[in-house]
Structure formats: C-alpha cells, structure tokens
Amino acid sequence: GHGIVAKRGQPVREFTAKNKAQRLAFCHANKTRNWANVMFTDRKKFMFRYPGTSVKPVSWVRKGEQRKSSRVNKPSVVNMYAGITKFGDTQPHLVTGTTKLATNYTTKGGKKSVNITINEYEDVAFKSLLPGGAAMFSVQGSSQWVFQQDGDPTHKEGSRRAMDKWKLKNNSAPTILANWPPNSPDLSPIENAWGYVSNKVDAQGCETFDEYQAAVLEEWKKLDKAYLTKLIGSMKKRLQ
C-alpha cells in the first residue's frame, strides 16, 4: 500500500542561458560530423566509498526515503584518464589524486601538486591518449582523426604542447574538436562508459582499495567493442 520510486545518479545540472546557447551552437555546428573518426577523452574519479558492500545501480525504496549504506568518511580514489572510439579504448592513465600514487609534478609555485597540472596532462596526452588513438585508427587505415576533450584550461594548454611534440615525432597530429560546450557531460559517450565500469565495480563489494583499483582497471579493459560502437553511434541522437 505504499508508493515506491526508483532513485539513481546525481542531480541534473541546471543550465544558464549562456550554457544553452553554447550547447545549441555546438550541436548545430557538428550535426553532420562523422563521429566514427573521433576519440572521446576524459578524466574520472572512481570513489571507493563502500568497502565490502555490494551496491546495485538502482534500489527500490518507499517514497520520501533514501537508500542507505555504510560509508567511509574520506573515500579512496582511482583518478584516471582514458579515451574511447568505436574501435576500442585506450589504456587507462592514473594521475595525481589517486590514493597511494606518488607524484613528481609540482605547481607553478614549486609545491608538490595535489591536482592535475598542465605538465601532467601534457604527459597523459603524449604518452597515453595520442598513442592509443593513433594505434586504433591506424589499424582502420586512417591517419586523420579527431581528439575530443572538454574545455578545461589545463586540457587546452597541455594538449597543445603534446600535439606539438607528437607532430614533430610523427609528422602529423589529430585535429582537436573545438568549442566543446561547458557543463555538457551528456554529450560525451565516455560518461556512459565510466558509469558502466563504476556499476560493475560497485557490485563486486571490494574489501580493500587495492582490490577496488584492480577491479576498475580490469573492468575498463573488458569494455566490449560492440558496446563502444553503440555509444559512438548515439551521437546523432545526443545532438538532436
């Protein structure tokens, strides 16, 4: 006799008029783009919040109630970059902010960094994202591909440096997809891949952070190409 409702995910971000205009302009500008030659990239923080507790993506609860589980006050983190195409995914690259990961990167003031810096993102792009993308597209007989990233200033400058080094080494470099609108994770299919991996790992109920990190890397490696092809194929609908 009690009504129930399914709750999942985080609250939706409210868009400003400027956000809406930027998103609309981007969608109009890219509605005829061939997304099959685009690699989507991003960073994801996987939070180890529920040690030993298997968490399902959806819980049914009574109206007005919240689903509950034991939490840790300061969750451990797997902080990683990766990229996806319709042909596969890149190797994950763990970055500053990952629990137990020592960093040699520093801030402009010379202090040890606690967040991703331009220098670190330059290394991520040059050592992992660009080689991964080039390898996937070269197997398809293509050297002309597009590198997608969001508009974070760190990404813009870091990728510019990485592209310059990559072009010197390989005599060519991919095009960067310009003017990605802010507050638009719903336009990027890699967000679905992150969520898929996160759900798979949460359902395992890892006991320790080491188990959790290994599970994240393993589930990312197991992403099915048919699933990734479907995600990339959803871009036309996302733009509409």
Side-chain angles (χ1 to χ4, degrees), residues 14-59:
E14 183 176 2
F15 297 117
T16 64
K18 183 178 180 181
N19 287 157
K20 292 178 181 179
Q22 290 172 316
R23 284 160 58 84
L24 188 60
F26 177 85
C27 292
H28 277 301
N30 288 278
K31 61 185 179 181
T32 60
R33 177 180 292 278
N34 175 19
W35 296 99
N37 68 354
V38 177
M39 182 173 75
F40 291 86
T41 69
D42 199 10
R43 178 167 62 98
K44 170 68 174 178
K45 287 184 176 182
F46 292 92
M47 303 288 192
F48 182 48
R49 295 188 177 97
Y50 313 104
T53 302
S54 177
V55 180
K56 297 179 180 180
V58 178
S59 298

Side-chain angles (χ1 to χ4, degrees), residues 121 149-161 176:
Y121 183 70
Q149 62 185 5
D150 63 32
D152 188 309
T154 298
H155 294 169
K156 289 183 177 180
E157 178 60 19
S159 63
R160 183 192 66 77
R161 296 181 187 176
I176 294 180

Side-chain angles (χ1 to χ4, degrees), residues 110-166:
K111 295 182 179 180
K112 183 171 289 190
S113 64
V114 294
N115 295 308
I116 185 78
T117 62
I118 292 173
N119 288 339
E120 185 168 15
Y121 183 70
E122 177 185 348
D123 283 345
V124 170
F126 186 74
K127 295 178 180 179
S128 295
L129 300 180
L130 288 171
M136 283 186 279
F137 286 107
S138 65
V139 169
Q140 307 302 317
S142 174
S143 60
Q144 303 296 317
W145 56 285
V146 179
F147 184 99
Q148 180 275 342
Q149 62 185 5
D150 63 32
D152 188 309
T154 298
H155 294 169
K156 289 183 177 180
E157 178 60 19
S159 63
R160 183 192 66 77
R161 296 181 187 176
M163 290 289 182
D164 288 344
K165 290 166 59 177
W166 186 260

Side-chain angles (χ1 to χ4, degrees), residues 96-107:
T96 298
T98 297
T99 302
K100 299 183 180 181
L101 180 69
T103 179
N104 295 319
Y105 297 95
T106 59
T107 64

Side-chain angles (χ1 to χ4, degrees), residues 40-42 148 180 184-192 235 238:
F40 291 86
T41 69
D42 199 10
Q148 180 275 342
W180 188 264
S184 299
D186 56 321
L187 287 179
S188 178
I190 197 172
E191 296 293 339
N192 298 80
M235 282 305 298
R238 291 171 192 262

